[in-house]
Amino acid sequence: MSSHIKSGQVILAAKDVYRSFDDGRNQVEVLKGINLEVHQGEFVAVIGASGSGKSTLLHVLGGLDRPSKGEVLLNGQRFDHLDETTRGNLRNQHLGFVYQFHHLLPEFSALENVCMPLMLRKGTEFKQVKQKAEKLLDQVGLSHRLTHKPGELSGGERQRVALARALVTEPELVLADEPTGNLDRHTAEGIFDLLTELRKEHNMAMLVVTHDESLAKSADRILQMRDGRWFEN
């Protein structure tokens, strides 16, 4: 675990988090007492082999799943025990998500996909949302692809649309799960550089789960997970 002097408020925290699943015969413990703080503007990379618990951790931290034990706090307030609707609203307000697979809706254009998270908010005007989405798509180099649907885009272009969608709500923290895992090395490096650049520009924190140590080297902190726990060299 690399050392790093942290500053700024704590955006997201895990306190003694466990997560187990019932496989029909036994309780399988995937997370085993995880503690973590992610501070404002900080870039944290979580590395580890497949099956070490990285994706499960991200789902629990992002409120997509609940811990079996322990607490998750968002901006100092407990988050994990809230009902699904409340957690969903808080995710939409404070967090952005980027996955290994882009999860774009195939029947909608790039512009419509990016607009969608903001359109879920009450009282939003489509004109303002559209302007913000267009600006972000321009920032990720896709101003010429606004009307194209995901099936008409390359893998790298789809992931750039997914990046713009994650940022359109101006989140305090982006959670990224293997965001370059499906891409070739050249495209992956481009996406990672873009993500880092946008993080600095928007002054947001970033927690990236990856198995690619070379891509994680630009992080403020690198945490290594092994068998559901932090592993210190």
Side-chain angles (χ1 to χ4, degrees):
M1 204 183 294
S2 65
S3 61
H4 176 67
I5 299 172
K6 298 174 285 294
S7 60
Q9 74 178 80
V10 177
I11 302 297
L12 190 69
K15 294 188 174 182
D16 206 27
V17 163
Y18 288 77
R19 184 66 175 102
S20 57
F21 298 92
D22 191 341
D23 70 355
R25 292 176 297 175
N26 302 297
Q27 284 286 320
V28 179
E29 217 168 53
V30 179
L31 300 178
K32 304 172 183 177
I34 292 291
N35 289 284
L36 174 66
E37 289 185 348
V38 181
H39 293 247
Q40 184 177 14
E42 186 182 23
F43 175 11
V44 180
V46 177
I47 62 173
S50 296
S52 58
K54 305 187 305 295
S55 293
T56 299
L57 174 65
L58 213 62
H59 287 169
V60 170
L61 291 176
L64 300 170
D65 191 13
R66 296 177 190 265
S68 303
K69 285 194 292 184
E71 298 180 359
V72 177
L73 288 83
L74 183 60
N75 287 320
Q77 301 296 316
R78 191 168 174 195
F79 174 54
D80 60 278
H81 69 309
L82 301 172
D83 64 80
E84 179 55 43
T85 300
T86 307
R87 276 186 291 140
N89 288 335
L90 287 170
R91 279 197 302 270
N92 183 270
Q93 290 171 34
H94 301 285
L95 303 175
F97 293 86
V98 184
Y99 302 96
Q100 179 173 351
F101 186 72
H102 53 79
H103 292 297
L104 299 175
L105 296 172
E107 65 271 30
F108 293 100
S109 69
L111 181 62
E112 289 165 338
N113 267 283
V114 175
C115 286
M116 213 155 291
L118 271 184
M119 293 308 298
L120 293 173
R121 293 184 181 178
K122 292 179 182 176
T124 52
E125 292 187 19
F126 180 70
K127 184 179 177 183
Q128 291 177 323
V129 172
K130 183 171 177 282
Q131 287 174 344
K132 184 180 275 192
E134 285 174 345
K135 182 182 176 184
L136 273 168
L137 283 165
D138 182 50
Q139 282 185 292
V140 299
L142 291 175
S143 57
H144 62 302
R145 296 291 215 184
L146 301 183
T147 60
H148 289 69
K149 294 181 179 179
E152 301 169 312
L153 302 174
S154 70
E157 287 173 332
R158 287 193 290 265
Q159 200 63 318
R160 281 188 272 160
V161 174
L163 273 186
R165 181 186 57 188
L167 298 179
V168 76
T169 58
E170 298 180 7
E172 294 153 78
L173 170 65
V174 167
L175 300 167
D177 190 3
E178 303 282 7
T180 59
N182 280 334
L183 306 174
D184 63 74
R185 168 60 59 181
H186 176 72
T187 307
E189 287 175 353
I191 290 291
F192 209 80
D193 289 346
L194 181 60
L195 191 54
T196 304
E197 179 186 320
L198 292 169
R199 174 188 74 88
K200 291 174 181 173
E201 183 177 332
H202 294 270
N203 190 32
M204 62 190 180
M206 193 161 72
L207 181 66
V208 176
V209 159
T210 181
H211 66 272
D212 192 329
E213 294 187 33
S214 65
L215 291 179
K217 284 179 180 174
S218 56
D220 298 316
R221 279 193 291 158
I222 300 176
L223 307 178
Q224 186 170 358
M225 180 170 272
R226 183 178 291 183
D227 193 27
R229 296 184 177 90
W230 297 132
F231 174 75
E232 297 198 34
N233 293 314

